[in-house]
């Protein structure tokens, strides 16, 4: 049965058209395994039956008389969605090559790449989908079904939570446009619109231990570490004499707005954004964490999800297009962040995944996207940066150094007041 495109699906296609290559609006994950890669036929034997249990993956994009829709592909064959790459010497090289891979528009907009070499005696599988075809939550649920335990239940509707009446007086201020950014050096260079990834890995036990000392949740800590890494990356800009002292950077954080009754929970983009101000200009790490605790307050995000769901349900596409230019303007919102969690352990033919790295989308003109993904007992952080962004390869080290500094500060009692205040209001 054909499914009309939602307004976010159509706007995602419009954003993709602003890029030099459509692949910038593809999202997914690179999953690494130890040992020798399997033959292509073995991968197809594994994927074929599981793909058959996910009917959304058989839908392709169609458009007749200006009425775009997702329709079943009469020639659908999982074999057409399995690609191969020779790979490279390390995951960064592999990710750079994957980011350039196209998704043919005449078939459903997703694919899996068998990467034969991923460095260090590893091989990989990469799932990618167009952001109009799936949002991050839908892509994660698809991965769990394709590479999770056999017999896992089909994903249900991926709603943030059941909708409630909107308190517009509390929400309307959130829809005001942010201030223009003029003090971040990363915006001084015209974007190249080609991208490179860098990765960091953290044992989640460290984050949980830090959370117990500070009273913060893992998502709050990840945002605070991101703000600290950006501050350490350009210390002169955020210092006492810098133009960004006391200020922050606006980031877009995705929040799910899918209807709980959606009969196609793995199809279409159903993610709106919540603005989060990263307080990079605040010198006190405890105050940075406190402010991000407020920004990631669960009640605030729930109210925003309810409001966006109502707005998007009745938003005409033409009005959405008029608002598109400001919403993706890097001078107002210069970066994106994402918090993703894989709850089912991923593996292939008895081999557990050794690492799972998000490959997020890139908004035209935005120089940076930071996404963290938890899988089993590891948190994997992806820094996806425009190639014109000088020094982006230093961000993983800055993130890890910031984590060590937070751990030392927590051990010294620097966050005691924050912990006593019970700053556990973020998403669980």
């Amino acid at each position: 049965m054909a499914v009309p495109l939602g307004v976010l699906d159509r706007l995602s296609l419009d954003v993709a058209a602003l890029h030099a290559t459509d692949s910038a609006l593809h999202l997914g994950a690179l999953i690494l395994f130890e040992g020798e890669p399997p033959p292509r036929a073995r991968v197809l034997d594994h994927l074929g039956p599981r793909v058959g249990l996910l009917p959304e993956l058989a839908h392709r994009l169609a458009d007749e008389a200006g009425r775009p829709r997702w329709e079943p592909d009469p020639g659908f064959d999982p074999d057409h969605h399995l690609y191969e790459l020779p790979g490279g010497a390390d995951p960064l090289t592999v990710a750079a090559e994957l980011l350039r891979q196209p998704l043919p528009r005449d078939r459903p907009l997703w694919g899996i790449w068998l990467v034969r070499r991923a460095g260090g005696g590893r091989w990989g599988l990469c799932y990618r989908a167009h952001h109009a075809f799936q949002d991050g939550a839908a892509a994660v649920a698809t991965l769990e079904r394709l590479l999770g335990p056999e017999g896992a239940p089909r994903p249900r509707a991926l709603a943030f939570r059941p909708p409630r009446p909107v308190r517009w007086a509390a929400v309307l201020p959130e829809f005001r446009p942010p201030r223009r950014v003029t003090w971040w050096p990363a915006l001084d260079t015209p974007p190249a619109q080609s991208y490179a990834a860098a990765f960091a890995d953290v044992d989640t036990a460290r984050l949980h231990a830090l959370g117990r000392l500070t009273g913060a949740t893992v998502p709050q800590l990840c945002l605070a570490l991101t703000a600290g890494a950006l501050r350490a990356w350009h210390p002169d800009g955020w210092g006492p004499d810098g133009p960004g002292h006391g200020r922050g950077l606006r980031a877009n954080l995705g929040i799910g707005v899918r209807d709980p009754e959606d009969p196609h929970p793995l199809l279409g983009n159903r993610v709106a954004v919540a603005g989060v101000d990263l307080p990079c200009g605040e010198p006190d790490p405890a105050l940075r964490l406190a402010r991000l605790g407020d920004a990631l307050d669960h009640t605030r995000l729930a109210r925003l999800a309810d409001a966006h769901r109502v707005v998007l349900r009745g938003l005409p596409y033409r009005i959405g297009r008029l608002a598109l230019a400001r919403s993706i303007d890097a001078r107002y919102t210069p970066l994106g962040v994402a918090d993703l969690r894989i709850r089912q352990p991923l593996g292939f033919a008895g081999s557990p995944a050794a690492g799972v790295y998000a490959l997020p989308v890139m908004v035209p003109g935005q120089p940076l996207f930071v996404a963290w993904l938890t899988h089993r007992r590891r948190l994997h952080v992806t820094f996806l940066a425009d190639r014109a962004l000088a020094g982006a390869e230093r961000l993983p080290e800055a993130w890890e150094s910031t984590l060590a500094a937070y751990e030392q500060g927590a051990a010294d009692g620097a966050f005691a007041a924050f912990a006593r205040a019970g700053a556990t209001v973020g998403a669980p």
Side-chain angles (χ1 to χ4, degrees):
M1 183 178 68
V3 180
L5 264 69
V7 65
L8 288 177
D9 305 349
R10 299 182 69 179
L11 293 176
S12 296
L13 293 172
D14 292 339
V15 173
L18 298 175
H19 271 288
T21 60
D22 186 69
S23 61
L25 257 287
H26 300 170
L27 53 79
L30 171 63
I31 304 96
L32 300 180
F33 300 90
E34 304 284 357
E36 293 296 319
R40 186 181 192 279
R42 177 70 185 88
V43 178
L44 191 60
D45 287 344
H46 173 93
L47 294 175
R50 296 184 178 220
V51 169
L53 298 174
L54 303 175
E56 292 95 331
L57 297 187
H59 284 69
R60 67 180 181 181
L61 179 65
D63 190 353
E64 291 182 5
R67 296 180 179 273
R69 64 187 186 276
W70 304 111
E71 67 174 15
D73 181 0
F76 177 71
D77 186 344
D79 187 34
H80 297 161
H81 295 265
L82 178 59
Y83 307 91
E84 294 186 71
L85 280 180
D90 56 71
L92 301 185
T93 304
V94 170
E97 182 62 27
L98 287 166
L99 291 170
R100 293 192 291 266
Q101 298 301 308
L103 287 168
R105 285 290 186 99
D106 62 346
R107 63 186 68 162
L109 293 175
W110 66 274
I112 290 184
W113 280 257
L114 169 59
V115 181
R116 299 209 165 273
R117 289 184 297 110
R122 293 180 173 185
W123 62 280
L125 290 171
C126 177
Y127 177 82
R128 295 168 70 241
H130 199 292
H131 197 21
F133 183 77
Q134 285 187 328
D135 52 47
V140 164
T142 301
L143 263 179
E144 290 178 337
R145 195 66 185 87
L146 296 180
L147 296 175
E150 190 171 4
R154 171 180 162 76
R156 294 176 294 176
L158 304 172
F160 183 76
R161 66 169 176 78
R164 300 179 184 179
V166 178
R167 295 170 51 199
W168 289 106
V171 172
L172 284 178
E174 298 270 11
F175 286 81
R176 290 180 301 188
R179 293 184 301 172
R180 181 166 174 167
V181 177
T182 59
W183 55 86
W184 194 30
L187 294 177
D188 293 342
T189 304
Q193 288 205 21
S194 64
Y195 307 99
F199 302 128
D201 294 276
V202 179
D203 191 324
T204 53
R206 292 177 64 187
L207 295 170
H208 291 310
L210 182 58
R212 287 192 291 272
L213 290 172
T214 61
T217 64
V218 169
Q220 290 169 357
L221 289 172
C222 287
L223 280 176
L225 295 173
T226 299
L230 294 175
R231 179 180 173 86
W233 186 32
H234 290 129
D236 293 340
W238 304 110
D241 299 322
H245 181 65
R247 299 182 177 184
L249 286 177
R250 186 78 162 182
N252 278 337
L253 171 70
I255 51 173
V257 295
R258 192 174 293 274
D259 193 315
E261 305 302 321
D262 191 338
H264 304 284
L266 302 184
L267 185 62
N269 179 358
R270 302 294 183 269
V271 168
V273 295
V276 177
D277 289 315
L278 301 179
C280 306
E282 170 54 58
D284 186 338
L287 288 179
R288 289 203 299 269
L289 186 56
R291 292 180 185 178
L292 288 168
D294 293 337
L296 222 61
D297 175 74
H298 186 76
T299 301
R300 176 206 174 217
L301 296 182
R303 283 200 307 257
L304 275 174
D306 291 336
H308 279 291
R309 187 182 286 113
V310 171
V311 170
L312 290 170
R313 188 177 296 142
L315 181 68
Y317 166 67
R318 292 181 180 181
I319 301 300
R321 282 213 60 166
L322 290 176
L324 187 62
R326 172 63 71 87
S327 65
I328 65 172
D329 192 330
R331 296 170 298 176
Y332 296 90
T333 305
L335 73 158
V337 293
D339 171 35
L340 303 168
R341 307 171 204 186
I342 297 180
R343 292 177 169 83
Q344 299 284 343
L346 304 185
F348 181 85
S351 297
V356 185
Y357 298 92
L359 297 179
V361 301
M362 285 297 286
V363 173
Q366 283 191 353
L368 181 65
F369 200 116
V370 184
W372 50 88
L373 184 154
T374 55
H375 176 247
R376 303 182 80 173
R377 291 178 292 276
R378 302 289 296 178
L379 183 134
H380 305 281
V381 189
T382 299
F383 302 88
L384 187 60
D386 190 283
R387 289 186 180 275
L389 196 61
E393 69 280 357
R394 300 195 305 270
L395 282 169
E397 181 181 355
W399 205 90
E400 292 170 348
S401 298
T402 303
L403 173 58
Y406 265 75
E407 289 173 323
Q408 184 60 55
D412 294 340
F415 298 90
F418 180 56
R420 285 195 300 271
T424 57
V425 291

